[in-house]
């Protein structure tokens, strides 16, 4: 029993499905026919039959295809009715024909497929039933209303989408502004920290300047006290120098000889009062330039010559020759038994004026590329720049006890080292 019911239900379902398919097919065929007839009726090609419609306000002529019209309206299969009639009967039958034509034609249309444009055309004919027109008008109104609703829905969805996009854009902008504000805030904090750092630095500099100023004031005050304390010694030194210049005018411009004892020893060692009283300072390195050629230009050929050297290490030494120096580009060794070298200050500044007499082999060497040069074994010599030199005392001149040539004692006696000393001033005296 249940199986029979199920089979019946299945059959009914299949039947309903087939009916629905037929209805859909019929609908599709109807739409296709409407399209075809619309194309045929609207086009002018192959229309070989005319129907005159006597509308009250607007009579017009319809051109159709005779074969299609005959296949759709049985009335037009009886064309013989139009033949041999009188003119009035023909006009009457034309009126009947037009009604039959439109009833036959519009019976093919589905009212749901009528558009507003089609409806406006139909309204001008007074032979259509009012119910037909009302239905069509309602359908047109319904379609228009539906179209309006769809448009409103479309506009609403578009508006919502635009509002959503705008809100999202505003949200992104707000986020960007927030990030920018955060960046500005960080920059302001950084600037604030920098300003604080600068303020601290300025404060530190101010404190340092104050400390330096106080230290500077203290140093100046101490220096002034020291100068004030040394003033008697300066006064005594100035008095002594004035006395020395008065007694020995030949040393009035010296920067080396500061003790009258030195002058007295030099006068004793030279043992030539005529020369000693007439000699003058003919060359000063600080005044005339630290250059050996300048020195030779001033000194060569002057005869008796006294050379006095002071180093930056505060050693004072020199030499005397009776024959003097000569101009020579390649160098010339000169013997002079009366030549001597001396030390006025040496060994850490102790004053020990002492004379060292000539003993052997070349008293002096005259060479344009060197300054004053005493001794064949280079007891001392000055380079062309008149600022550096060498000393290896004890070869050509008699050294004191305990000093030996070519040893540390001989190399350090006159200037403190063999060649690590610097000339501060070099003065040369002659007539």
């Amino acid at each position: 029993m249940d199986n029979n019911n199920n089979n019946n239900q299945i059959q009914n379902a299949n039947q309903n499905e087939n009916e629905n398919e037929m209805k859909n097919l019929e609908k599709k065929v109807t739409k296709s026919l409407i399209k075809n007839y619309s194309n045929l009726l609207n086009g002018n090609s192959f229309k070989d039959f005319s129907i005159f419609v006597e509308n009250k306000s607007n009579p017009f002529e319809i051109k159709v295809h005779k074969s299609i019209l005959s296949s759709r309206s049985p009335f037009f299969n009886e064309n013989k009715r139009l033949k041999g009639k009188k003119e009035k009967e023909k006009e009457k039958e034309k009126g009947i024909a037009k009604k039959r034509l439109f009833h036959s034609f519009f019976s093919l249309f589905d009212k749901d497929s009528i558009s507003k444009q089609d409806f406006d055309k139909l309204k001008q004919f007074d032979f259509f039933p009012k119910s037909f027109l009302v239905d069509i008008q309602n359908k047109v109104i319904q379609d228009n209303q539906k179209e309006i609703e769809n448009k409103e829905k479309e506009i609403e969805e578009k508006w919502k989408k635009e509002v959503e996009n705008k809100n999202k854009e505003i949200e992104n902008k707000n986020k960007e502004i927030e990030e920018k504000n955060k960046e500005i805030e960080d920059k302001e904090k950084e600037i604030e920290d920098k300003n604080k750092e600068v303020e601290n630095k300025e404060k530190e500099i101010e404190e340092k300047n104050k400390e330096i100023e106080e230290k500077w004031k203290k140093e100046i005050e101490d220096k002034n006290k020291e100068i004030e304390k040394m003033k008697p010694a300066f006064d005594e030194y100035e008095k002594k120098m004035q006395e020395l210049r008065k007694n020995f005018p030949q040393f009035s411009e010296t920067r080396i000889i500061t003790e009258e004892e030195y002058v007295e020893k030099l006068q004793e060692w030279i043992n030539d009062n005529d020369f000693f009283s007439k000699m003058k300072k003919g060359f000063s390195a600080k005044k005339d330039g630290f250059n050996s050629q300048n020195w030779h230009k001033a000194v060569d050929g002057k005869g008796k010559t006294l050379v006095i050297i002071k180093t930056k290490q505060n050693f004072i030494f020199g030499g005397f020759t009776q024959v003097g120096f000569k101009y020579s580009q390649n160098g010339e060794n000169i013997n002079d038994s009366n030549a001597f070298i001396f030390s006025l200050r040496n060994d850490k500044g102790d004053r020990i004026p002492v004379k060292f007499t000539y003993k052997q082999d070349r008293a002096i060497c005259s060479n344009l590329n060197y300054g004053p040069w005493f001794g064949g074994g280079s007891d001392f010599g000055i380079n062309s720049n008149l600022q550096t030199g060498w000393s290896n005392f004890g070869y050509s001149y008699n050294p004191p006890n305990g000093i030996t040539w070519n040893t540390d004692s001989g190399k350090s006696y006159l200037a403190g080292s063999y060649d690590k000393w610097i000339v501060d001033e070099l003065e040369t005296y002659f007539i």
Side-chain angles (χ1 to χ4, degrees), residues 43-264:
N44 292 321
S45 301
F46 305 107
K47 294 181 179 179
D48 54 1
F49 191 79
S50 296
I51 300 175
F52 295 93
V53 179
E54 293 181 359
N55 189 26
K56 290 181 179 179
S57 60
N58 187 19
F60 60 90
E61 178 184 11
I62 298 175
K63 291 185 178 182
V64 298
H65 197 289
K66 186 176 181 181
S67 298
I68 296 175
L69 185 62
S70 297
S71 65
R72 293 303 180 187
S73 177
F75 173 80
F76 289 102
N77 281 328
E78 302 176 2
N79 289 335
K80 58 185 180 180
R81 293 183 180 179
L82 300 177
K83 295 179 181 179
K85 298 288 186 179
K86 293 181 179 180
E87 197 63 33
K88 287 185 178 181
E89 292 177 353
K90 289 181 181 179
E91 295 299 327
K92 183 177 181 181
E93 288 183 3
K94 285 182 182 178
I96 296 171
K98 72 178 181 180
K99 290 187 178 182
R100 288 180 179 177
L101 170 63
F102 279 93
H103 278 289
S104 298
F105 179 72
F106 285 106
S107 65
L108 298 173
F109 283 88
D110 183 357
K111 287 185 290 184
D112 293 338
S113 65
I114 301 298
S115 66
K116 185 177 184 302
Q117 288 79 9
D118 294 332
F119 176 71
D120 291 338
K121 290 180 181 180
L122 294 175
K123 284 196 302 183
Q124 64 182 321
F125 303 111
D126 56 0
F127 48 78
F128 289 108
K130 287 185 179 181
S131 59
F132 177 78
L133 295 175
V134 170
D135 290 342
I136 292 175
Q137 186 175 15
N138 290 336
K139 178 61 174 61
V140 170
I141 292 172
Q142 185 179 359
D143 291 342
N144 289 339
Q145 185 64 31
K146 189 173 182 180
E147 184 178 356
I148 291 171
E149 290 177 358
N150 291 335
K151 284 291 184 182
E152 289 178 348
K153 187 176 181 181
E154 182 181 350
I155 292 170
E156 183 179 0
E157 289 178 354
K158 185 177 180 181
W159 178 79
K160 285 182 179 180
K161 183 66 175 175
E162 288 181 356
V163 170
E164 183 179 351
N165 291 335
K166 284 294 181 181
N167 288 334
K168 192 171 182 179
E169 183 179 348
I170 291 170
E171 184 178 351
N172 292 333
K173 284 292 183 182
N174 288 334
K175 188 175 180 180
E176 184 179 348
I177 291 170
E178 185 178 352
E179 291 175 354
K180 286 292 184 182
N181 288 334
K182 181 67 169 59
E183 184 178 349
I184 292 171
E185 185 178 349
D186 293 340
K187 285 292 184 183
E188 290 177 347
K189 181 67 168 58
E190 183 180 352
I191 292 171
E192 183 179 354
D193 293 338
K194 287 290 184 182
N195 288 335
K196 192 172 182 180
E197 183 179 351
V198 170
E199 185 178 349
N200 292 333
K201 284 290 184 183
E202 289 177 347
K203 189 175 180 180
E204 183 180 349
I205 291 170
E206 184 178 355
E207 292 175 355
K208 283 286 185 183
N209 288 336
K210 188 175 180 181
E211 181 180 348
I212 291 170
E213 184 179 358
E214 291 177 355
K215 184 178 179 181
W216 177 73
K217 286 181 179 179
K218 182 69 168 57
E219 287 181 357
I220 290 177
E221 185 178 349
D222 293 341
K223 286 291 182 183
N224 288 333
K225 286 182 179 180
E226 185 178 347
I227 291 171
E228 190 68 26
K229 188 177 180 181
M230 293 177 65
K231 192 174 184 304
F234 283 125
D235 291 343
E236 184 179 352
Y237 171 79
E238 183 62 26
K239 184 178 179 181
K240 186 190 297 185
M241 290 302 297
Q242 288 178 359
E243 187 71 21
L244 187 147
R245 294 186 188 102
K246 180 180 178 181
N247 296 332
F248 304 98
Q250 61 270 46
F251 292 105
S252 61
E253 297 181 2
T254 183
R255 291 185 176 91
I256 301 176
I257 302 299
T258 58
E259 299 287 342
E260 190 169 337
E261 181 184 4
Y262 295 168
V263 178
E264 291 174 352

Side-chain angles (χ1 to χ4, degrees), residues 377 391-395 403-411 418:
S391 175
N392 192 2
F393 178 53
Y395 180 79
I403 304 301
T404 305
W405 174 76
N406 210 29
T407 65
D408 289 342
S409 62
K411 292 178 181 180
Y418 175 68

Side-chain angles (χ1 to χ4, degrees), residues 381-383 385 387-391 417-423:
I382 305 298
N383 290 318
N385 57 17
Q387 290 181 306
T388 60
W390 68 94
S391 175
S417 65
Y418 175 68
D419 59 359
K420 303 300 181 185
W421 42 276
I422 304 296
V423 175

